[in-house]
Amino acid sequence: MSERGMQELALLLLTALANASRHGYAIAQEVKAMTDGRVAPRTGALYGALDRLLAEGLIRVEREEVVGGRARRVFALAPAGRERLEEEADRLAATVREVRRRLADGATALT
């Protein structure tokens, strides 16, 4: 497991694909919904990140289709992506546990 955390956009893209295959626009909408609008990836950033995740073998192109005369790729989480996402979830959970422990210790020290 990597000690360094995953970039937020990569984490969100993998999370958006964890339960369903999606095309680029649907992924962007899912990220926006998951973050209550805090993260709304621009087209260039979205497809740049998707290309990096493809190159790393974390996602795959499930199929290509033509909709309204335009080509569209549908992406899916690859097995390596699912594993990396699980590792990142474990790392984040451990960090949150430590934050909560220290906050509780700090609250106790203040009383």
Side-chain angles (χ1 to χ4, degrees):
M1 176 164 62
S2 171
E3 291 299 316
R4 186 170 160 247
M6 186 180 286
Q7 288 185 348
E8 183 180 28
L9 182 56
L11 173 64
L12 292 169
L13 296 179
L14 294 178
T15 302
L17 293 170
N19 65 337
S21 301
R22 294 181 164 85
H23 57 80
Y25 180 75
I27 294 169
Q29 292 303 304
E30 187 69 14
V31 166
K32 189 174 179 182
M34 285 187 308
T35 63
D36 292 325
R38 182 180 57 80
V39 177
R42 294 179 187 252
T43 304
L46 173 69
Y47 286 100
L50 288 171
D51 286 342
R52 282 189 298 280
L53 294 172
L54 274 169
E56 293 173 17
L58 300 178
I59 64 173
R60 61 184 175 79
V61 176
E62 182 174 87
R63 68 183 180 277
E64 294 188 40
E65 52 194 26
V66 177
V67 177
R70 297 183 64 181
R72 175 164 80 181
R73 295 185 295 176
V74 176
F75 300 93
L77 192 62
R82 182 167 301 281
E83 183 178 318
R84 181 68 178 96
L85 187 57
E86 288 174 356
E87 290 172 354
E88 186 67 5
D90 290 344
R91 187 191 71 77
L92 290 169
T95 300
V96 168
R97 279 192 303 277
E98 183 63 15
V99 168
R100 295 202 185 282
R101 183 187 71 75
R102 288 176 183 242
L103 286 171
D105 287 352
T108 304
L110 294 175
T111 58

